[in-house]
Amino acid sequence: MTTEGRVDSGLEGVVVAESALSRVDGEAGRLIIAGYDVAELAEHASFEQVCALLWEGLPPSAATHESYRVRLAEARVRAFEALPRLAPALAMPDPMDALRASLALISVDEDSVLVQATAVTAATAVFAAARARGGHGLPALAPDPTLDHARDYLRMVRGVDGAPAASALGRYLVTLCDHDMNASTFAARVVTSTGSDMVSAIVAAVGALKGPLHGGAPGPVLDMLDAVAEHGDARGWLEAELAAGRRIMGMGHRVYRVRDPRAAVLEGAIQLLATEPGMRPRLEVGRHVEQAARALLRERSVGRRLEANVEFYTAVLLDAVGLDRRDFTPTFATARVAGWCAHVLEHRRTGRLVRPALRYVGRLPDVAA
Ligand code: COA
């Protein structure tokens, strides 16, 4: 094989798999998840129904919601029973390190791949919630198996599960459930391609999600909104960031050349929270900063449109439902694990070993005279 020619270091536009799970149209700003537009799915489907859709191709219905609600609830209870032996991992200072380390300590080598997917999805929510409580010096709350996944996650984190907040969080979990070949999903598929197990694939995906260019952005977005609110001049603050060589968090995307369609879905979900304290000013600051950032980046990046991505309004929404900014990325993992598991299952059925090439530019051995 020759390694001459173009090096695709970011793999832009390189198609590495066929998938029935999701499709991103970056020019039109459209996201389709297993045949449904993301806005439609977020408004009408539960997280349980999305798991059934992604893992088994079952269309959303009351029956799939109930059967997956029971399965996920039972799996949350089992995951909670594992917490005592995971205590050192969950005590790690960074919540994503804690999630990665705690997931690495479980084993879900059951016969059924659906049982494995359910176990790891439930464990992600339970461990993320336990770490969120631990971060405030509070003991983990046991799952309530009568609740649906989104509501119980919120309750396990906050101790309460108000109806509008639970609905908004449910829409968030559905909106974020899958997004074609993003970096963490690719990591999960690469690990799966070697014949490795489900937990190893999900742990790799959690590691990839942690980075600020992927799932680590929403906490810094909230920091930015706070800083701009304090500074008073959005444009001036953003200009100083760019002058310091920093990127504007929550702006830009590898695939979208227009505004990320999930930003609009999350903005809509935020409307459910109109009565939450502090919500309205935060949303107003968010919209103002988005407009200022967009105008500034348009002036600077001629030829490349940089618009709001999903993380921008993730920050506003998760803050409004009462989550601490340190727990935003573990909450992203709580949603995306549904997609990661679906890609693991799909790659097992259809994929091959992922093994790209590199071009060696190092020293060659001296040729003997
Ligand atoms: N703020 C300022 N400039 C940005 C930018 C941002 N948020 N996003 C991209 N750019 C600029 C880069 O500096 C680069 O400019 P240059 O060509 O003058 O060097 C150009 O746009 C292309 O950037 P590149 O890193 O090659 O694009 P990418 O496709 O790899 O980047 C992201 C995609 C998401 C990593 C990038 O937009 C980013 O870092 N965004 C901020 C982090 C974020 O919100 N992540 C969540 C993603 S969902």
Side-chain angles (χ1 to χ4, degrees):
M1 179 177 40
T2 176
T3 55
E4 294 310 308
R6 194 184 125 109
V7 176
D8 286 307
S9 64
L11 298 181
E12 284 107 316
V14 177
V15 178
V16 295
E18 288 191 330
S19 175
L21 298 172
S22 57
R23 173 174 185 255
V24 175
D25 182 338
E27 300 297 329
R30 192 159 184 218
L31 167 61
I32 294 167
I33 298 174
Y36 297 85
D37 199 88
V38 65
E40 184 192 353
L41 212 54
E43 194 173 342
H44 299 296
S46 63
F47 183 74
E48 283 80 354
Q49 288 169 329
V50 158
C51 290
L53 179 66
L54 289 173
W55 302 347
E56 293 192 271
L58 299 172
S61 71
T64 58
H65 173 80
E66 187 51 20
S67 97
Y68 267 75
R69 192 194 64 70
V70 171
R71 286 185 223 182
L72 278 167
E74 287 171 357
R76 287 196 304 278
V77 171
R78 280 196 298 278
F80 186 80
E81 287 164 3
L83 286 185
R85 72 181 173 82
L86 306 180
L90 286 167
M92 292 180 81
D94 183 292
M96 281 300 277
D97 289 345
L99 180 62
R100 189 198 62 227
S102 53
L103 284 171
L105 291 171
I106 63 167
S107 165
V108 295
D109 294 332
E110 319 257 352
D111 287 339
S112 153
V113 287
L114 288 177
V115 173
Q116 294 178 20
T118 309
V120 80
T121 298
T124 302
V126 171
F127 300 168
R131 178 61 187 77
R133 299 272 298 171
H136 294 286
L138 298 167
L141 283 176
D144 178 344
T146 66
L147 298 181
D148 68 31
H149 198 68
R151 179 169 290 233
D152 203 25
Y153 177 67
L154 188 61
R155 193 193 56 81
M156 288 189 291
V157 174
R158 283 183 50 188
V160 289
D161 61 289
S167 302
L169 185 68
R171 287 195 191 190
Y172 169 81
L173 294 184
V174 171
T175 305
L176 274 283
C177 70
D178 196 43
H179 201 241
D180 87 11
M181 197 61 91
N182 58 85
S184 56
T185 298
F186 186 51
R189 289 187 82 125
V190 169
V191 172
T192 302
S193 83
T194 69
S196 189
D197 63 290
M198 172 81 78
V199 170
S200 298
I202 301 307
V203 167
V206 168
L209 187 72
K210 181 185 173 190
L213 301 188
H214 189 6
V221 168
L222 201 62
D223 295 341
M224 169 176 74
L225 299 187
D226 284 348
V228 169
E230 196 177 319
H231 185 269
D233 169 17
R235 189 178 169 96
W237 189 90
L238 294 166
E239 276 176 337
E241 280 294 285
L242 292 177
R246 289 190 284 270
R247 293 186 173 200
I248 309 301
M249 288 292 134
M251 300 296 293
H253 197 273
R254 171 58 66 82
V255 183
Y256 292 117
R257 291 295 164 264
V258 293
R259 195 172 189 247
D260 186 329
R262 298 168 299 173
V265 175
L266 296 185
E267 244 187 307
I270 292 167
Q271 306 299 339
L272 299 172
L273 299 163
T275 54
E276 292 291 308
M279 196 289 292
R280 202 176 296 274
R282 180 82 87 200
L283 183 57
E284 276 165 19
V285 171
R287 286 181 171 147
H288 178 62
V289 173
E290 181 193 356
Q291 294 311 323
R294 184 187 198 210
L296 189 57
L297 291 170
R298 201 166 274 191
E299 289 162 27
R300 302 214 163 196
S301 317
V302 182
R304 166 136 187 174
R305 277 181 71 180
L306 297 168
E307 302 273 343
N309 62 49
V310 68
E311 307 294 18
F312 202 97
Y313 288 97
T314 288
V316 179
L317 188 150
L318 295 185
D319 177 58
V321 301
L323 300 191
D324 191 291
R325 68 193 74 196
R326 286 171 55 78
D327 301 317
F328 289 178
T329 309
T331 304
F332 187 167
T334 297
R336 182 57 57 81
V337 68
W340 292 333
C341 290
H343 282 270
V344 169
L345 303 183
E346 188 177 70
H347 200 96
R348 281 186 186 172
R349 286 195 309 272
T350 62
R352 337 173 31 221
L353 175 68
V354 178
R355 203 306 188 185
L358 57 72
R359 182 185 303 151
Y360 179 67
V361 293
R363 198 179 147 270
L364 293 172
D366 295 333
V367 181

